[in-house]
Amino acid sequence: MPLTILFAASGEGWARYEAPLRAAFAEEGLDVTLGTDLAPESVDYIIYAPNSEVQDFRPYTRLKAVLNLWAGVEDAVDNPTLTVPFARMVDDEGLTQGMVEWVTGHTLRHHLGMDAHIVNPDHEWRHVAPPVSADRPVGILGLGELGTACGLALTRLGFPVTGWSRSEKTVDGITCLNGRDGLHETLSNAQILILLLPDTPVTQNTLNAETLAMLPYGAFILNPGRGPLIDDDALLAALDSGQIAHATLDVFRTEPLPRDHPYWDHPQVTVTPHIASETRPPSAARAIARNIRRNETGEPMLHLVDRDAGY
Amino acid sequence: MPLTILFAASGEGWARYEAPLRAAFAEEGLDVTLGTDLAPESVDYIIYAPNSEVQDFRPYTRLKAVLNLWAGVEDAVDNPTLTVPFARMVDDEGLTQGMVEWVTGHTLRHHLGMDAHIVNPDHEWRHVAPPVSADRPVGILGLGELGTACGLALTRLGFPVTGWSRSEKTVDGITCLNGRDGLHETLSNAQILILLLPDTPVTQNTLNAETLAMLPYGAFILNPGRGPLIDDDALLAALDSGQIAHATLDVFRTEPLPRDHPYWDHPQVTVTPHIASETRPPSAARAIARNIRRNETGEPMLHLVDRDAGY
């Protein structure tokens, strides 16, 4: 008997995902009934995006698990009707690789001082070479899948990387710190700071007036993580004072970023439209099919959400 | 008896190099007399930049070798009075690393479409993610020290890299081609093309109207190699037609780039002021001291110029 799998995401998801999902299920040897409109009591698995119309999971009486299409789960983790195992998207091929490229690219951009050459309104030949990466310490807040992958990529390019995480971690080649003292030490050395923490009540406003002041004068901020990690007013004040030289932000409390938001006009802010880590359908479909196959063959599912931690 | 070593480079070289050189010679266990004004007949080695006042080497009757401070030797290789062994600068720590950072950074910049976000005059939220690096073929012309190091760094970031060289080469992870057919194949697949050939009579105008037309429509050019590799008029025409989307150039036939050169004003050109690969005094000094120590202890010197090939 085929597995019944509901695709529940709003927008153009189905058009982009149907073919890759069918191919991925076939590759895993799974016989599936896949659709966007299936009787709730028949559904075995839901492929889910938190913006879906499905917000009440109670009618899905035989549901075995929900597989999120997004890396972020904060919009669904508190749903009291979602009681079955709930897997985050960890798509190394698409999400993680995209994040590594965005983080590495913008780190090198600020390290090399590219903007002065890209804009260069006075056409001046200023023969000043940047330091090499070994002389540019980078800090990463968050050493999950994404933070670790980005830290390792930067390490391979020669940057000294310090990573901070809530719990103690060890990653070869990265100086790993945790706790309040560890945060202070990470910030005080980071000429470029990258935010890759999850969005939880504890991590909101991690970057505030106090922590921004711990960074070296003229530091660069990259936020490809979550909008609420930053106290926006404190960041704007730190940009205006020169404490922060530039912030490149991919995520915001409200998206799309409202047209009248001061970030748009600020000369020391670069806005990218939440593109750092995007689910790419072929690789995301393979990750989902693999996880369902694992559950069906008695292997533990990967990347299940820890509801107490909130991610 | 100490070795007598002349430092012959114009400009601020001596102020930046004296201390690193003294430290590097001490590290190699060499007793040296080092200066900028020494009797020619007493000199054992010359640390040289082609812009030096020393252009006639005949008075240096006991000279054992000349060690170039620059990677490029084209301004000195034809000097008929320079007959002793002549070593290029190969400074993996400084020159090569700087080049890898510049090439990787600008490759990612064009790959990610950063300029649209850095400038973004209309403050539009365009939620379009770039492809992942695996879908962005890169070509490198030149697989010497620099081309190989850059190609490997790009490979580690997931880019499919094809490298072309005059002679046949093999580099793990890079598709290596050579010859006229190989050039055509390299160009026809390269969405981003990186020029890292030496400047020789054979390589001048490698990128001309014919070869620019072999690239995919909308390709990006990076030239951190040598100015004469490009036929500038042909490149300007290819930019204007859209065949080339953007060129980021670090080297030019005349440097500093003259103020009235059309590259300065062209919206599809980024000028960087010959900073991609800069000799950094500490690591360059170590490379020079190590090479002199090799010669003094009977080991072959590294990176000697092949005068027939011109580099």
Side-chain angles (χ1 to χ4, degrees), chain B residues 4-298:
Chain B
T4 302
I5 299 178
L6 178 69
F7 184 88
S10 79
E12 327 160 354
W14 180 241
R16 295 167 62 219
Y17 273 95
E18 184 183 0
L21 281 168
R22 291 197 188 282
F25 285 122
E27 208 174 290
E28 293 290 340
L30 292 174
D31 181 15
V32 303
T33 298
L34 179 69
T36 57
D37 188 13
L38 301 168
E41 65 279 8
S42 72
V43 170
D44 296 298
Y45 293 95
I46 298 179
I47 299 168
Y48 190 66
N51 69 358
S52 158
E53 284 170 18
V54 175
Q55 295 295 332
D56 182 356
F57 289 88
R58 286 172 299 181
Y60 298 87
T61 48
R62 60 183 279 178
L63 192 61
K64 299 181 189 175
V66 173
L67 297 102
N68 214 41
L69 275 175
W70 300 352
V73 294
E74 62 271 14
D75 294 331
V77 71
D78 291 330
N79 185 328
T81 70
L82 174 45
T83 55
V84 295
F86 180 36
R88 281 177 299 126
M89 171 54 60
V90 177
D91 169 13
D92 284 339
E93 293 176 74
L95 287 180
T96 309
Q97 178 62 25
M99 181 63 85
V100 166
E101 293 172 18
W102 189 96
V103 165
T104 307
H106 285 282
T107 298
L108 284 166
R109 169 189 158 217
H110 291 304
H111 167 61
L112 296 171
M114 277 186 201
D115 292 17
H117 303 123
I118 294 169
V119 181
N120 195 3
D122 55 1
H123 301 170
E124 276 290 341
W125 180 275
R126 295 183 189 84
H127 185 76
V128 180
V132 290
S133 56
D135 296 318
R136 181 81 72 185
V138 172
I140 300 184
L141 304 189
L143 283 178
E145 303 266 349
L146 297 174
T148 302
C150 292
L152 290 173
L154 292 172
T155 298
R156 283 193 288 269
L157 280 166
F159 291 97
V161 176
T162 300
W164 180 84
S165 52
R166 196 177 53 120
S167 54
E168 204 175 322
K169 301 220 172 175
T170 310
V171 182
D172 271 357
I174 297 178
T175 304
C176 296
L177 302 175
N178 62 84
R180 190 74 202 167
D181 289 351
L183 180 63
H184 192 289
E185 189 177 336
T186 303
L187 294 174
S188 63
N189 289 307
Q191 291 183 18
I192 299 176
L193 181 72
I194 300 158
L195 303 183
L196 279 168
L197 292 163
D199 179 22
T200 72
V202 176
T203 62
Q204 294 201 2
N205 296 319
T206 294
L207 219 55
N208 54 35
E210 186 196 350
T211 50
L212 283 162
M214 294 176 185
L215 287 158
Y217 185 80
F220 298 92
I221 307 286
L222 304 184
N223 187 10
R226 292 283 170 238
L229 297 176
I230 296 180
D231 175 336
D232 293 319
D233 291 335
L235 176 57
L236 286 164
L239 288 161
D240 290 337
S241 76
Q243 166 65 9
I244 302 302
H246 199 104
T248 293
L249 311 172
D250 188 55
V251 290
F252 306 91
R253 285 169 193 263
T254 306
E255 296 183 5
L257 187 66
R259 281 191 168 269
D260 59 351
H261 197 286
Y263 283 152
W264 280 121
D265 272 319
H266 204 292
Q268 292 153 264
V269 175
T270 304
V271 172
T272 69
H274 204 145
I275 54 166
S277 182
E278 270 279 293
T279 306
R280 269 83 170 181
S283 47
R286 284 193 290 273
I288 284 170
R290 197 160 49 233
N291 224 0
I292 290 178
R293 197 266 306 146
R294 289 178 67 97
N295 199 46
E296 291 296 314
T297 57

Side-chain angles (χ1 to χ4, degrees), chain A residues 51-202:
Chain A
N51 69 358
S52 158
E53 282 168 20
V54 175
Q55 295 295 332
D56 182 356
F57 288 89
R58 286 173 298 182
Y60 298 88
T61 48
R62 59 182 279 178
L63 191 62
K64 299 180 188 175
V66 173
L67 297 102
N68 214 40
L69 275 175
W70 301 353
V73 294
E74 61 272 14
D75 294 332
V77 71
D78 290 330
N79 185 329
T81 70
L82 174 46
T83 55
V84 296
F86 180 37
R88 280 177 298 127
M89 172 54 60
V90 177
D91 168 14
D92 284 339
E93 293 175 75
L95 286 181
T96 308
Q97 178 62 25
M99 181 63 85
V100 166
E101 293 172 19
W102 189 96
V103 165
T104 306
H106 284 283
T107 297
L108 284 166
R109 169 190 158 215
H110 291 305
H111 167 61
L112 296 171
M114 275 185 202
D115 293 17
H117 302 124
I118 294 168
V119 180
N120 195 3
D122 55 2
H123 301 172
E124 276 290 340
W125 180 274
R126 294 181 189 84
H127 184 75
V128 180
V132 290
S133 57
D135 297 318
R136 182 80 72 185
V138 173
I140 301 183
L141 303 189
L143 283 178
E145 303 268 347
L146 297 175
T148 301
C150 292
L152 291 173
L154 293 172
T155 297
R156 282 192 288 269
L157 281 165
F159 291 96
V161 176
T162 300
W164 180 85
S165 52
R166 195 175 56 119
S167 54
E168 206 175 321
K169 299 221 173 173
T170 309
V171 182
D172 273 357
I174 298 178
T175 304
C176 296
L177 302 174
N178 62 85
R180 189 72 200 168
D181 289 351
L183 180 62
H184 191 290
E185 190 178 334
T186 303
L187 293 175
S188 63
N189 288 308
Q191 291 183 20
I192 300 176
L193 181 73
I194 300 156
L195 303 182
L196 280 168
L197 292 163
D199 179 22
T200 73
V202 176

